[in-house]
């Protein structure tokens, strides 16, 4: 949802940035993964604001790698594959950090990781069937935004575990709704 509404403006900005950076986009993808892992480490240590900052930096890398690939004609199938794999590891690292710190319990954390991975898996399987499947209310950008908002509010409220728990519960529910939306979308396009 966020991606579709902001994509034209974001593409203009990132095209400018991407055209000025003549570096292998896979390096930026891997850098983004490393930064996401650091976000998870900060969350694990209880430093929510540092975790938020590193999620935002990682998100910038995730946008810029594609822009570099497009503007320098370096878009490859492997680059798209690597980006998707790194995104899954990044999502898990962030959520594992929140579990480790005790901001969310292991059951909710496991459900959040499962739901996030399933959203991506359903899209990949649909696209394997030649169906464009970037539908749903909680794509990756929305899920990261929920974590950023939850962690920021939690930090402002003195490290409230309840706020972070609520944010991840919302993320999980919306992710499972997205899975259902994608399964339905694929079903109507296959029959």
């Amino acid at each position: 949802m966020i991606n579709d509404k902001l994509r034209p403006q974001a593409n203009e900005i990132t095209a400018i940035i991407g055209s000025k950076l003549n570096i292998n986009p896979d390096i930026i993808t891997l850098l983004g993964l490393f930064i996401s892992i650091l976000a998870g480490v900060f969350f694990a240590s209880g430093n929510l604001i540092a975790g938020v900052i590193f999620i935002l930096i990682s998100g910038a890398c995730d946008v810029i790698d594609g822009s570099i690939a497009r503007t320098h004609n370096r878009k490859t199938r492997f680059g798209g594959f690597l980006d998707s794999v790194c995104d899954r590891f990044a999502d898990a690292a962030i959520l594992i950090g929140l579990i480790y710190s005790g901001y969310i319990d292991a059951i909710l954390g496991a459900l959040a990781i499962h739901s996030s991975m399933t959203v991506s898996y359903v899209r990949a399987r649909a696209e394997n069937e030649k169906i464009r499947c970037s539908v749903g209310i909680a794509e990756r950008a929305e899920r990261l935004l929920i974590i950023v908002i939850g962690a920021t509010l939690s930090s402002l409220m003195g490290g409230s575990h309840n706020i972070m728990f609520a944010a991840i519960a919302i993320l999980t529910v919306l992710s499972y709704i997205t899975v259902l939306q994608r399964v339905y979308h694929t079903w109507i396009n296959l029959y």
Side-chain angles (χ1 to χ4, degrees):
M1 289 174 59
I2 289 175
N3 291 341
D4 292 340
K5 293 178 183 174
L6 299 178
R7 188 163 300 196
Q9 297 88 351
N11 283 346
E12 290 176 24
I13 295 166
T14 58
I16 294 167
I17 296 168
S19 68
K20 298 189 184 309
L21 298 173
N22 192 6
I23 186 170
N24 185 329
D26 294 344
I27 292 172
I28 301 298
T29 300
L30 292 170
L31 178 63
L33 170 60
F34 177 72
I35 292 169
S36 290
I37 292 169
L38 288 177
V41 169
F42 280 115
F43 282 148
S45 71
N47 190 337
L48 296 176
I49 295 301
V52 164
I53 291 167
F54 276 78
I55 286 176
L56 295 174
I57 295 169
S58 172
C61 289
D62 198 31
V63 171
I64 290 170
D65 62 358
S67 178
I68 292 170
R70 286 186 297 277
T71 59
H72 291 283
N73 199 26
R74 291 185 176 176
K75 192 172 178 181
T76 65
R77 289 172 49 200
F78 177 76
F81 169 81
L82 179 66
D83 185 65
S84 183
V85 170
C86 287
D87 286 351
R88 304 300 72 78
F89 274 98
D91 293 350
I94 290 165
L95 291 165
I96 289 168
L98 289 167
I99 295 166
Y100 184 83
S101 66
Y103 277 98
I104 57 174
D105 64 43
I107 297 296
L108 178 59
L111 289 170
I113 291 169
H114 177 261
S115 64
S116 294
M117 300 296 164
T118 307
V119 166
S120 301
Y121 177 76
V122 171
R123 178 178 177 172
R125 285 294 296 130
E127 290 178 353
N128 189 50
E129 298 295 332
K130 310 291 188 248
I131 297 168
R132 190 170 188 279
C133 195
S134 57
V135 299
I137 59 174
E139 291 187 83
R140 186 165 190 259
E142 288 85 1
R143 293 192 309 269
L144 290 175
L145 183 61
I146 291 168
I147 293 171
V148 165
I149 291 169
T152 301
L153 290 175
S154 180
S155 181
L156 291 173
M157 301 299 278
S160 169
H161 286 60
N162 292 338
I163 292 173
M164 201 66 243
F165 184 91
I168 301 304
I170 290 167
L171 176 150
T172 303
V173 169
L174 293 179
S175 295
Y176 281 127
I177 290 170
T178 302
V179 168
L180 293 175
Q181 289 174 309
R182 289 181 174 189
V183 168
Y184 177 74
H185 174 79
T186 303
W187 178 69
I188 62 172
N189 281 283
L190 285 177
Y191 286 104

